[in-house]
Amino acid sequence: MWAVEVKSLSYIHSMGTPFAKQALKDVSLNIAQGQIVGIIGPTGSGKSTLVQHFNGLLAPQKGSVNVLGRSTADKAVRMNLWKEVGLVFQYPEQQLFEETVYDDIAFGPKNLGLNEIEVKKRVIKALDDIGLPEEILSRSPQSLSGGMKRRVAIAGILAMQPKILVLDEPTAGLDPAAKSRFLNLIRKLQQSTGITVILVTHSIDDAAELAHWLVVMDRGRIALQGKPKDIFKQPERLIQIGLNVPVEIEVTRKLFEMGIPVRTDVLGLNEAVEEIARIRDRRKKTGG
Ligand SMILES: Nc1ncnc2c1ncn2[C@@H]1O[C@H](COP(=O)(O)OP(=O)(O)OP(=O)(O)O)[C@@H](O)[C@H]1O
Ligand SMILES: [Mg+2]
């Protein structure tokens, strides 16, 4: 069973008004369970509209969306999806409103109707999953740094123990160090829990290292999808869509064009550095 199965989905916002805007056009994709899938594309390409179909916030107008084997055309299915699909919006920390971190994280599990002991267990587990110390439970969310607040907001979603976690622009506004810490955390979380993660982002760099599968959107359609390595074999296409190409891809391509026999399918800066060092060492040995 797929985590998410989308068939020929089209969607028009404000349909039937002068503001009508077609956000999705004939989109089809499958998301496997237990994977990290990156959805990338420029502003307005339809990323948020697409993922809002995954937790039942939007109902398909045309085509179909099945989540964990159930059709979201059914209102009862949509109404219950919040329990299984955690959707984290951009700047989720703006939705922290309780007096303590504990109360904020406990909010979702309480709504699931769990008893106090179970709620507490969930809160502690979520905190651990997202790499926060227990000391912060009694603090006010407002007293925390931006990166910490965001982790608290995500802990609140994790405490519901969703099967699918959708993060819409999760690193927006974080400084580079916080961003990199956050992405590593998501990777570890996915590995330890086996949760399906859907990561929506403008930034191809965010998606490049993390995702097992990439979906590239362009003006409401899927332009490309595949393994990151295969997607980056088409840098011209990405640039044409208005996306940047990861810096390591750009550098290794340039070297290759200069006649240096470097692999051009590296992913991440570390792999690129290793590959370039490998070529250098080989040249030293052969005196080339
Ligand atoms: N509620 C709405 N009413 C009318 N048009 C909308 C609405 N929401 C989105 N749109 C339009 O639909 C298109 C797709 O928007 P969407 O938010 O899905 O894109 P996105 O890829 O998430 O963009 P961003 O990267 O800026 O978040 C855009 O042209 C947008 O202006
Ligand atoms: Mg968006």
Side-chain angles (χ1 to χ4, degrees):
M1 182 176 64
W2 296 103
V4 180
E5 200 179 359
V6 178
K7 279 199 198 120
S8 308
L9 179 67
S10 294
Y11 192 87
I12 300 173
H13 284 288
S14 312
M15 193 153 55
T17 77
F19 308 104
K21 170 78 203 174
Q22 179 143 25
L24 295 175
K25 295 172 195 158
D26 197 24
V27 166
S28 297
L29 77 151
N30 292 332
I31 293 178
Q33 292 194 50
Q35 290 222 316
I36 302 182
V37 175
I39 298 183
I40 52 183
T43 292
S45 55
K47 305 180 295 295
S48 295
T49 305
L50 176 62
V51 300
Q52 284 171 21
H53 282 84
F54 299 170
N55 79 334
L57 217 55
L58 295 178
Q61 289 171 346
K62 204 169 159 220
S64 67
V65 177
N66 279 19
V67 180
L68 299 164
R70 276 161 294 163
S71 166
T72 67
D74 181 341
K75 190 169 180 199
V77 168
R78 286 201 305 280
M79 297 288 283
N80 278 299
L81 271 181
W82 63 276
K83 296 175 190 166
E84 285 171 310
V85 185
L87 177 61
V88 182
F89 288 102
Q90 208 173 323
Y91 300 110
E93 58 274 20
Q94 290 169 358
Q95 285 158 41
L96 299 175
F97 54 86
E98 300 282 343
E99 298 219 334
T100 66
V101 168
Y102 181 92
D103 287 338
D104 249 310
I105 302 177
F107 184 82
K110 275 185 192 157
N111 270 334
L112 286 175
L114 300 169
N115 67 40
E116 223 169 293
I117 296 168
E118 183 61 23
V119 168
K120 189 161 182 203
K121 268 196 217 155
R122 295 277 190 107
V123 172
I124 305 280
K125 167 102 176 38
L127 209 61
D128 186 49
D129 283 342
I130 204 76
L132 288 170
E134 275 186 42
E135 295 91 84
I136 73 160
L137 284 176
S138 57
R139 285 179 61 181
S140 152
Q142 302 313 328
S143 71
L144 305 172
S145 72
M148 294 272 257
K149 273 190 203 165
R150 192 159 305 181
R151 283 200 265 167
V152 169
I154 292 170
I157 298 282
L158 291 177
M160 317 249 288
Q161 300 188 349
K163 295 195 176 74
I164 302 174
L165 178 65
V166 185
L167 302 161
D168 195 348
E169 298 283 356
T171 63
L174 296 185
D175 64 61
K179 176 171 148 168
S180 136
R181 265 200 309 276
F182 180 83
L183 291 176
N184 275 324
L185 215 80
I186 296 296
R187 189 204 319 266
K188 278 201 206 122
L189 173 77
Q190 196 283 324
Q191 284 166 351
S192 64
T193 62
I195 193 172
T196 305
V197 177
I198 299 168
L199 181 74
V200 175
T201 173
H202 286 98
S203 157
I204 214 158
D205 292 298
D206 276 14
E209 277 196 66
L210 217 59
H212 302 111
W213 188 259
L214 282 184
V215 177
V216 183
M217 308 235 3
D218 179 27
R219 287 166 292 172
R221 293 182 190 276
I222 293 185
L224 296 165
Q225 58 176 321
K227 293 196 179 122
K229 276 184 199 238
D230 294 328
I231 298 282
F232 298 136
K233 280 181 190 150
Q234 309 170 63
E236 299 77 15
R237 184 82 179 94
L238 293 173
I239 291 163
Q240 186 192 14
I241 293 169
L243 291 165
N244 60 329
V245 177
V247 63
E248 64 274 17
I249 302 278
E250 233 170 321
V251 169
T252 51
R253 284 216 151 223
K254 287 248 161 71
L255 289 172
F256 188 79
E257 282 163 18
M258 287 164 68
I260 298 168
V262 57
R263 269 175 49 215
T264 55
D265 61 349
V266 294
L267 272 189
L269 220 44
N270 289 341
E271 227 182 282
V273 169
E274 274 167 30
E275 173 63 8
I276 293 167
R278 188 182 66 82
I279 298 287
R280 181 201 55 193
D281 293 348
R282 204 170 57 193
R283 291 198 156 195
K284 268 194 206 145
K285 269 189 212 133
T286 58

